[in-house]
Amino acid sequence: MKQLHVELGDRSYPIYIGPSVMSNTELLQQHIRGQQVMVVTNETIAPLYLQQVTQALAGKTVAHVILPDGEKFKTLSTLNLVFDALLEKRFNRTVTLVALGGGVVGDMTGFAAACYQRGVDFVQIPTTLLSQVDSSVGGKTGVNHAMGKNMIGAFYQPQSVLIDTNTLRSLPDREFAAGMAEVIKYGLIADVAFFDWLEANADALMARDEAALQYAIAQSCQTKADVVAQDERESGIRAILNLGHTFGHAIETATNYTSYLHGEAVAVGMLMAMDLSQRMGAVSEQDCKRTRDLIVSCGLPSLSPKGMSQETYMSLMAVDKKVLDGSLRLVLLKRLGEAYVGNDFPPAALEATLGSFCHE
Ligand code: NAD
Ligand code: GLY
């Protein structure tokens, strides 16, 4: 098992990575301060893992709430199901919520914990690769609003993160690949040695080799923890974690969240950000090719949606959270393994990038 640490003063917490960590009573209970525990999960994950987690909580007063599965249920009204369950059980401010699931369950449970009786403890047990390397670490919690994704939320850190690599055995291939996009992201933004390692070990990862998985998850979480420790509330550097996301969100919105998973849209978006960085002379054609090859070898798409126009990209990117005083800012690379957020790209270079990706 590997152990990492997110250094945030009195909000610091450990991350444990390994097989069966969710069934380890000592590890799980170590960060649960009170007697009451509410496990929040969904209808897909409950039959797979709820029993193991409940058993590991032996000795506590444990209840659970099973939410419907899907991004479309990441709403305030679904969140009410968690509050209903907590109040029905008369759970008080000493309760700990346990998020057992992917990023949707994790984001909602964290936000429920931030709100219930003005804030109670929560523990993350992420079960998708994406949630293990990204959403469970760093304290971004929230739900969607009809007018925007993740628009209602809070920064609220967990007490601990237990990453059980066994859960990846039941994850569908497409969801696993989507998580790989975020893993590749860490190599591109902060760690060229890790990028090299990913190229050499992509096959082992895609075969879900345990040692390769633990290494890739630990490297990813370490980079995320380092960035979050520097800028918890995203007033600066944390935005580099969004490499490819501005293009990617435009793709997700244009395709109505139906044809690309988030990680798939981010994969295409990262290639677009690389292309723009190449036009600015920051990375080489070879760097772009290596990234495309790695993305494709992980079963991820590399093409913009058919028929999505430059105008659609521009209008959707104009509402990105990183737009500041009307100016579009993008995460770009200074070189392979180093990212920054800036608006220093020539508009003609962005047009050329969009032009080269848009196709009928
Ligand atoms: P998800 O939570 O919807 O999970 C994907 C699917 O896999 C679901 O159907 C889920 O039930 C199923 N599943 C989960 N674990 C499984 C397992 N072990 N075996 C079989 N099936 C399993 O999607 P996700 O990709 O984990 O998370 C996406 C969400 O994360 C989005 O809402 C996004 O906004 C959020 N997110 C948050 C942050 C953050 O910093 N908080 C970062 C990135 C993404
Ligand atoms: N997923 C980006 C962040 O946590 O900041």
Side-chain angles (χ1 to χ4, degrees), residues 42 44-45 48-49 69 71 74 101-105 107 127-128 130-131 134-135 137 140-141 149-150 167-168 170-172 175 224 238 262:
N42 76 20
T44 307
I45 299 149
L48 298 170
Y49 303 112
D69 185 2
E71 182 76 33
K74 191 178 163 184
V104 169
V105 167
D107 281 12
T127 60
T128 60
L130 183 139
S131 58
D134 193 353
S135 61
V137 176
K140 279 190 182 176
T141 73
K149 197 168 181 276
N150 295 328
T167 60
L168 298 176
S170 58
L171 192 66
E175 294 289 350
K224 177 134 192 192
R238 183 165 178 165
H262 175 70

Side-chain angles (χ1 to χ4, degrees), residues 57 116 125 145 162 204 211 239 266 294 296 299:
L57 289 166
Y116 188 62
I125 306 184
H145 185 277
L162 277 78
V266 165
L294 181 56
V296 171

